[in-house]
């Protein structure tokens, strides 16, 4: 990963590139860094890099020409980032995008900002690190570089994976503790000292969920639930909802892709059940699909397997009086029960019904069940 910074204040970066994790990444050659002094490209004997803002009240703006010359002095074709309060918000996804570019240059503004003609013609991405105004782009540049460098393999220590970070699957991180186990009257939660890996994992998961719901419920829209639920998830598909056996194959594969435990299909008629069973065998879907003579039998099977009564979420494409998918997502995290998504079928079997995936427009016909299922699976089990 290569990062170049163009700045009028290169001294800001000396300690940053020599210290701690970023410093070690630079030293080990995992992160290649370069700092370009904008004043080297300034105009005249005073190396002028800024001038008064046109139509402004005396504020200074960095001029386009020194910035362009500094950029043109670089080799290759780097991706150009300009940190500014007017930018799009920096998120973990943006960090991942920047990492994927491989060669990034960050142009630090100062004073009132930089000439808009440089921004519109040379900048690929204007990025804000938050809704507040700093005196320049140097601190945001360091924030961006720090976050990107953590994704470079080998930069964060062994035994510590970025998969465990906050936001990796869209939720906040769990609390952390170190020695001593008792500090000024406050004890570390017993479970963390128990040596029981399963119980520790459960506790961490619940804490991550609790904190996310309490502090950042907005994150829920982009977080995948599997891995944070206490029990498994299932999809129930009444046979009346599908028009061809091939739909079953495709829906089963979507379930497998998103980590849904089983596709449950209630089929009352024995002959039909036999023909669906032979399709399942032929298509090697046995691990993904299970047939039942009735909805009730399927529910009993899940209850026995999960040792808890399933939470039933119905969606049928027409019911506009149901809950929004985000509210249901929150409920699922609270109830600590296995979840069955019921595509179509009888609403009275369900704990909640979900509003149609495309909104409440009754003038449109419902989305085909296969498509609606994919959207639902992605909203609940996909992340970001
Ligand atoms: N420059 C000044 N304030 C900033 C912010 N909030 N984000 C990014 N760049 C900035």
């Amino acid at each position: 990963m290569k990062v170049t910074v163009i700045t009028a204040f290169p001294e800001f970066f000396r300690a940053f590139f020599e210290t701690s994790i970023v410093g070690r990444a630079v030293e080990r050659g995992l992160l290649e860094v370069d700092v370009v002094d904008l004043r080297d490209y300034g105009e005249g004997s005073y190396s002028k890099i800024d001038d008064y803002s046109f139509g402004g009240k005396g504020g200074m703006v960095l001029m386009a020409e020194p910035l362009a010359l500094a950029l043109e002095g670089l080799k290759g074709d780097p991706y150009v980032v300009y940190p500014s309060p007017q930018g799009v918000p920096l998120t973990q996804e943006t960090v991942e995008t920047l990492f994927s570019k491989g060669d990034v240059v960050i142009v630090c503004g100062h004073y009132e900002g930089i000439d808009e003609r440089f921004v519109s013609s040379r900048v690929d991405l204007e990025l804000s690190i938050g809704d507040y105004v700093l005196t320049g782009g140097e601190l945001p540049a360091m924030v961006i570089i720090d976050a990107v460098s953590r994704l470079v393999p080998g930069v964060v220590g062994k035994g510590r994976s970025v998969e465990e970070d906050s936001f990796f699957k869209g939720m906040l991180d769990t609390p952390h503790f170190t020695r001593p186990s008792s500090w000024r009257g406050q004890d570390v939660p017993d479970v963390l000292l128990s040596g029981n890996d399963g119980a520790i994992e459960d506790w961490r998961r619940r804490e991550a969920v609790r904190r996310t719901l309490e502090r950042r419920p907005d994150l829920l829209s982009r977080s995948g639930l599997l891995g944070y639920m206490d029990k498994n998830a299932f999809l129930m598909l009444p046979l009346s909802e599908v028009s061809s056996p091939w739909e079953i194959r495709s829906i089963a594969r979507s379930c497998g892709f998103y980590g849904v435990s089983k596709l449950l299909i209630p089929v009352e008629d024995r002959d039909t059940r036999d023909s669906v069973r032979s399709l399942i065998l032929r298509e090697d879907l046995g691990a993904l699909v299970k047939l039942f003579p009735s909805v009730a039998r399927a529910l009993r099977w899940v209850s026995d397997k999960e040792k808890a009564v399933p939470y039933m979420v119905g969606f049928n494409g027409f019911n506009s009086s149901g809950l929004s998918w985000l509210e249901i997502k929150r409920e699922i995290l609270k109830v600590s029960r296995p979840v069955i998504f019921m595509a179509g079928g009888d609403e009275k079997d369900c704990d909640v019904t979900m509003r149609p995936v495309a909104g409440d427009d009754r003038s449109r016909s419902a989305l085909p069940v296969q498509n609606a299922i994919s959207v639902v699976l992605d909203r609940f089990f996909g992340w970001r």
Side-chain angles (χ1 to χ4, degrees):
M1 179 80 212
K2 181 172 180 201
V3 184
T4 306
V5 183
I6 297 177
T7 171
F9 300 93
E11 57 276 18
F12 261 122
F13 291 89
R14 227 159 270 144
F16 177 64
F17 284 138
E18 286 174 5
T19 312
S20 189
I21 294 176
V22 170
R24 227 173 313 131
V26 173
E27 195 180 274
R28 291 166 58 206
L30 299 172
L31 188 64
E32 191 187 334
V33 294
D34 192 12
V35 180
V36 173
D37 188 345
L38 185 61
R39 287 189 193 278
D40 292 346
Y41 297 88
E43 289 177 357
S45 49
Y46 291 104
S47 278
K48 188 176 167 62
I49 55 169
D50 56 351
D51 211 328
Y52 292 102
S53 165
F54 279 128
K57 296 200 178 75
M60 302 300 278
V61 174
L62 289 180
M63 298 189 299
E65 186 60 12
L67 290 164
L69 291 175
L71 194 59
E72 283 154 16
L74 303 178
K75 287 200 194 79
D77 184 21
Y79 189 76
V80 183
V81 175
Y82 167 46
S84 114
Q86 283 66 247
V88 297
L90 178 70
T91 62
Q92 192 62 25
E93 288 100 309
T94 333
V95 171
E96 283 163 22
T97 305
L98 294 182
F99 172 62
S100 74
K101 301 290 176 194
D103 185 3
V104 171
V105 51
I106 304 178
V107 180
C108 301
H110 239 272
Y111 317 113
E112 293 291 296
I114 71 183
D115 192 302
E116 189 61 26
R117 290 166 295 183
F118 175 83
V119 180
S120 56
S121 61
R122 301 292 197 281
V123 169
D124 295 304
L125 184 64
E126 195 167 340
L127 265 184
S128 167
I129 64 160
D131 292 337
Y132 40 80
V133 182
L134 301 171
T135 55
E138 283 74 14
L139 287 172
M142 290 184 215
V143 168
I144 295 165
I145 295 166
D146 188 288
V148 171
S149 65
R150 304 182 74 261
L151 300 184
V152 178
V155 167
V156 291
K158 280 208 193 82
R160 170 87 188 79
S161 80
V162 292
E163 281 96 33
E164 288 165 24
D165 287 344
S166 289
F167 304 125
F168 181 75
K169 283 199 170 168
M171 297 266 187
L172 296 181
D173 198 5
T174 186
H176 299 280
F177 300 87
T178 185
R179 271 189 274 258
S181 58
S182 182
W183 175 74
R184 299 193 184 194
Q186 293 185 72
D187 295 336
V188 170
D190 286 340
V191 62
L192 295 181
L193 309 176
S194 69
N196 178 340
D197 290 343
I200 292 172
E201 199 43 51
D202 283 350
W203 181 86
R204 289 200 164 131
R205 202 181 57 224
R206 286 203 189 106
E207 283 299 305
V209 167
R210 186 185 59 73
R211 284 177 148 193
T212 309
L213 291 179
E214 216 171 80
R215 302 176 187 182
R216 295 290 309 278
D218 56 301
L219 291 181
L220 221 58
S221 61
R222 38 186 225 118
S223 53
L225 292 189
L226 284 181
Y228 292 99
M229 288 168 57
D230 288 334
K231 305 279 179 184
N232 288 306
F234 302 83
L235 180 74
M236 178 108 68
L237 179 69
L239 206 60
S240 55
E241 297 294 326
V242 289
S243 49
S244 90
W246 308 113
E247 267 189 279
I248 296 178
R249 179 178 65 176
S250 149
I251 292 169
R253 292 200 175 139
S254 295
C255 287
F257 180 80
Y258 282 102
V260 168
S261 286
K262 279 264 195 270
L263 172 60
L264 317 170
I265 307 186
V267 197
E268 265 173 45
D269 178 67
R270 183 189 285 263
D271 291 343
T272 317
R273 201 158 61 237
D274 286 344
S275 74
V276 177
R277 183 169 291 117
S278 54
L279 167 87
I280 290 168
L281 288 176
R282 208 169 51 239
E283 295 291 324
D284 201 18
L285 297 172
L288 293 171
V289 186
K290 197 159 171 58
L291 300 179
F292 297 90
S294 66
V295 170
R297 289 281 289 274
L299 293 186
R300 207 172 323 135
W301 180 81
V302 173
S303 300
D304 291 347
K305 187 171 173 303
E306 299 285 310
K307 299 185 177 53
V309 177
Y311 183 70
M312 300 280 292
V313 179
F315 61 102
N316 59 19
F318 292 109
N319 186 331
S320 54
S321 62
L323 292 185
S324 81
W325 63 278
L326 253 183
E327 285 171 278
I328 294 176
K329 219 168 167 181
R330 207 171 298 128
E331 279 308 302
I332 289 174
L333 287 172
K334 285 191 199 148
V335 293
S336 278
R337 285 159 62 182
V339 176
I340 300 180
F341 287 90
M342 175 104 150
D346 199 338
E347 279 173 28
K348 70 176 175 6
D349 291 326
C350 297
D351 292 273
V352 281
T353 48
M354 183 160 46
R355 289 213 284 268
V357 294
D360 290 346
D361 184 354
R362 280 162 178 271
S363 65
R364 285 188 290 188
S365 55
L367 206 56
V369 72
Q370 192 179 339
N371 300 354
I373 286 171
S374 299
V375 173
V376 168
L377 293 180
D378 198 67
R379 283 178 178 176
F380 286 81
F381 304 118
W383 36 281
R384 284 186 254 128

